[in-house]
Amino acid sequence: MQFTLISGAEYIETCPDGNEEPFSIRLHLAKDILTIQEQDVICVSGEAFYSSERTVTIRRQTIGGFGLSIKGGAEHKIPVVISKISKEQKGFQPISNLLVLKNGICTTSVIQVRVQVLRNAGEDVTLTVSFLKKTPAFLKLPLCEDCTCVPSDQSSGTSSPLCDSGLHLNYHPNNTDTLSCSSWPTSPGLRWEKRWVDLRLIPLLHSRLSQHVPGSDVCRRNAFQVIAVDGVCSGVITCPAAEDCLDWLQSITTNISALTKHNVKKINRNFPVNQQIIYMGWVDEKEQDSVQDRMYSSQFLALRGSSLFKFSAPPVTTWDWTRAEKSYTVYEIMCKVLKDSDLLDKRKHCFSVQTECGEDMFYSVELECELLIWEKAFQMATFLEVERIQCKTYACIMESHLMGLTVDFSMGFVCFDAASKAVLWRYKFSQLKGSSDDGKSKIKFLFQNQDNKAIEAKELEFSNLFAVLHCIHAFFAAKVACLDPMFLESRGAATTTGGLGVPTLTSVSCNAQTSQIKYST
């Protein structure tokens, strides 16, 4: 089934109705919404079918039985319908009187009796039937080009698999029970057309994409689903080729990114300069005590001011920011993008965050471009916060004395006596030639004396070892960033657009082409 792609996006998520059988759809991607459409047959003129019930008693004939062909049933998860009435048999007249609608025969009425009852019934059977308003869509009848009913010999003869699996109650061996447009009312007042109608409307703001089976590291083949902020799911959308799937993923991601960027710009108007949002987005977090069927859970990460926030849902109000599940100071945590050799399972595009307590958290995103966006955002957030605070002091112990170590963006490392505030030693960042730690509390620094070039060792003990290590790393990274022309250029772009961290919210470029997809719910 052909689908179209129009630039733009937004999202809503919808859960399918429990039908597991795939069917063809068309996708329409606009600036802020993804529309999933299915093909339907609708009455475009005249009086549509009504649903009033009638009852009729029919008599079994020697040839042709009851003269009915029945399709559907509980085993197919669809209503039982009359798919054809034999006009040749004697019992046709009372049945036609029952099903006449403006001189046309409604041949797809619900029979509110079990098929087995009909099979084992005697000579007479009383049926309760009602006309179905949406029966044409249900049976997927073929229609001609001008969308009007045509004789059955001109029909394509195709029908839905739901119809092909019907049970025939006619005893006549030559009955083929073929559905066609001619089975439908030929009243001049009725006109039917095949049209694409909206099945799902998915707003994309704060939505997320997933190629993986929920909670696992298993990636679906050429398939994905869109999940809305309220948890409603689009259903699994399957593309015919990997290239088509990637085109859709990148295009939808581009639109979600653009919406997020616009939303962040509006939110930042209410926050001071030192509390601006740099990044917002969905990730999948690996569970600490994971079981086989629940290895990952969705989390929403946000970089704002000095903190990394973790939410179960995107923050909407100012009050929501105070209710984050976790928050961490950006210069006291360490972020690492995992190489292929470092991956924990089948998930790709992963990164780890080590907290100030030494706890490792592992996250994954769907696309490589999302991983790049996160990495640049974290670098930007860390740099801006280091530049803002300029220095950070930690209490420590050296040779059984209480000391203080200040990491200063301009001067480097300064150690002073906690009681007298007297400076004991001072080294520039460039003088640090190496360091080691015991993984618990002690750090051994190796500084080079500027005068005699000798290496001087200084061992300090901290109560918050990992926070100190990460802080030193953040200050070094900020120093290096000041010398990186590409970083300075991206920082300048962020400043000229209101400090929104543009490098972290850049839209993803891609070329999506028209292709074929299948849809399963």
Side-chain angles (χ1 to χ4, degrees):
M1 186 63 63
Q2 295 296 314
F3 63 78
T4 59
L5 175 63
I6 299 178
S7 62
E10 196 215 22
Y11 99 82
I12 255 191
E13 190 185 278
T14 10
C15 270
D17 304 327
N19 184 5
E20 297 295 336
E21 186 166 346
F23 56 94
S24 296
I25 62 166
R26 183 169 69 174
L27 297 183
H28 180 93
L29 182 60
K31 178 181 179 181
D32 59 351
I33 204 161
L34 176 67
T35 303
I36 303 174
Q37 296 179 320
E38 66 172 345
Q39 205 166 31
D40 204 349
V41 184
I42 61 175
C43 182
V44 295
S45 65
E47 183 181 351
F49 287 122
Y50 54 88
S51 59
S52 60
E53 292 185 351
R54 303 182 187 181
T55 58
V56 65
T57 299
I58 58 176
R59 180 175 293 275
R60 189 191 301 274
Q61 304 298 311
T62 305
I63 298 177
F66 288 113
L68 301 177
S69 290
I70 293 177
K71 298 196 174 187
E75 66 273 21
H76 303 296
K77 299 181 181 179
I78 58 175
V80 178
V81 299
I82 300 174
S83 59
K84 189 175 180 181
I85 297 176
S86 173
K87 297 181 181 181
E88 288 75 23
Q89 81 157 69
K90 295 180 181 180
F92 170 74
Q93 189 57 41
I95 300 175
S96 65
N97 291 339
L98 166 70
L99 300 176
V100 163
L101 179 64
K102 286 192 176 180
N103 299 322
I105 300 175
C106 175
T107 60
T108 55
S109 302
V110 176
I111 301 177
Q112 297 179 345
V113 295
R114 296 180 62 178
V115 172
Q116 200 64 28
V117 174
L118 285 176
R119 260 190 182 151
N120 301 328
E123 297 301 314
D124 297 326
V125 171
T126 299
L127 303 177
T128 301
V129 299
S130 62
F131 292 104
L132 293 179
K133 294 179 180 180
K134 298 188 70 173
T135 298
F138 171 67
L139 290 179
K140 305 292 183 186
L141 294 180
L143 294 179
C144 58
E145 293 296 328
D146 62 0
C147 301
T148 57
C149 291
V150 295
S152 59
D153 58 354
Q154 297 179 19
S155 172
S156 65
T158 60
S159 62
S160 166
L162 295 177
C163 300
D164 296 337
S165 59
L167 171 67
H168 311 312
L169 295 182
N170 272 343
Y171 290 166
H172 200 285
N174 296 325
N175 177 36
T176 58
D177 192 36
T178 302
L179 282 175
S180 69
C181 290
S182 61
S183 301
W184 289 93
T186 57
S187 170
L190 291 176
R191 184 167 175 267
W192 302 87
E193 284 186 4
K194 270 188 178 181
R195 289 187 179 178
W196 287 102
V197 296
D198 294 347
L199 176 65
R200 300 283 186 267
L201 297 177
I202 310 212
L204 298 175
L205 180 60
H206 294 325
S207 65
R208 59 189 174 94
L209 294 175
S210 177
Q211 303 175 79
H212 294 84
V213 176
S216 76
D217 63 340
V218 179
C219 186
R220 292 187 173 96
R221 180 180 176 85
N222 304 337
F224 65 92
Q225 57 184 346
V226 184
I227 305 170
V229 68
D230 59 358
V232 180
C233 180
S234 66
V236 179
I237 301 171
T238 305
C239 301
E243 295 79 8
D244 302 315
C245 185
L246 182 59
D247 283 346
W248 276 108
L249 287 169
Q250 290 181 330
S251 298
I252 296 173
T253 300
T254 296
N255 292 2
I256 294 175
S257 247
L259 289 168
T260 302
K261 179 180 176 181
H262 180 69
N263 189 51
V264 166
K265 184 176 181 180
K266 292 192 299 183
I267 296 174
N268 278 343
R269 294 171 185 169
N270 302 317
F271 292 138
V273 176
N274 64 337
Q275 290 294 314
Q276 296 285 288
I277 299 171
I278 303 297
Y279 172 89
M280 297 176 75
W282 285 100
V283 296
D284 285 331
E285 181 180 14
K286 188 170 180 63
E287 299 282 0
Q288 297 294 332
D289 300 319
S290 60
V291 292
Q292 188 171 2
D293 60 342
R294 192 64 185 176
M295 300 168 59
Y296 287 87
S297 62
S298 296
Q299 301 289 340
F300 192 85
L301 297 185
L303 289 168
R304 175 182 161 224
S306 63
S307 301
L308 166 64
F309 295 90
K310 184 170 74 171
F311 301 92
S312 58
V316 177
T317 66
T318 305
W319 176 248
D320 290 339
W321 290 92
T322 65
R323 296 185 291 178
E325 290 186 1
K326 295 280 187 178
S327 64
Y328 309 93
T329 304
V330 290
Y331 58 79
E332 291 187 336
I333 60 177
M334 178 82 74
C335 176
K336 177 185 177 182
V337 174
L338 301 185
K339 299 178 181 179
D340 290 345
S341 57
D342 299 326
L343 298 177
L344 303 181
D345 48 40
K346 298 177 183 178
R347 288 257 183 169
K348 298 181 179 180
H349 316 310
C350 299
F351 64 92
S352 65
V353 174
Q354 188 177 63
T355 69
E356 66 272 15
C357 299
E359 176 190 7
D360 288 313
M361 301 180 295
F362 295 92
Y363 299 98
S364 75
V365 291
E366 295 296 323
L367 299 175
E368 185 178 3
C369 60
E370 293 179 285
L371 187 61
L372 181 61
I373 287 174
W374 159 260
E375 184 179 22
K376 288 185 176 181
F378 188 83
Q379 291 173 355
M380 178 65 73
T382 303
F383 175 83
L384 293 177
E385 188 59 19
V386 169
E387 186 181 51
R388 186 186 70 83
I389 64 173
Q390 287 295 307
C391 64
K392 178 67 177 177
T393 300
Y394 294 95
C396 59
I397 295 176
M398 184 177 71
E399 297 176 353
S400 302
H401 291 84
L402 183 60
M403 301 289 180
L405 177 69
T406 298
V407 185
D408 190 284
F409 192 65
S410 301
M411 293 185 294
F413 299 91
V414 180
C415 185
F416 59 91
D417 184 87
S420 64
K421 307 299 181 183
V423 175
L424 302 181
W425 47 262
R426 179 186 287 112
Y427 295 97
K428 297 179 180 179
F429 286 111
S430 59
Q431 291 180 264
L432 181 63
K433 300 304 179 182
S435 66
S436 60
D437 64 271
D438 63 358
K440 297 178 181 179
S441 61
K442 294 180 180 180
I443 305 177
K444 185 175 183 180
F445 297 98
L446 299 178
F447 296 106
Q448 186 179 51
N449 189 297
Q450 282 186 321
D451 298 327
N452 57 22
K453 306 302 180 182
I455 299 298
E456 300 174 353
K458 305 293 182 180
E459 187 174 82
L460 305 177
E461 185 174 355
F462 299 89
S463 61
N464 47 352
L465 174 68
F466 291 99
V468 176
L469 290 174
H470 297 159
C471 180
I472 294 172
H473 180 272
F475 273 71
F476 265 99
K479 271 291 186 183
V480 173
C482 286
L483 305 176
D484 184 354
M486 292 185 64
F487 179 84
L488 294 177
E489 182 181 350
S490 65
R491 182 195 174 200
T495 303
T496 57
T497 55
L500 299 180
V502 168
T504 70
L505 298 172
T506 303
S507 297
V508 183
S509 60
C510 65
N511 294 317
Q513 300 177 352
T514 301
S515 182
Q516 294 185 350
I517 57 177
K518 286 186 289 184
Y519 182 74
S520 59
T521 59

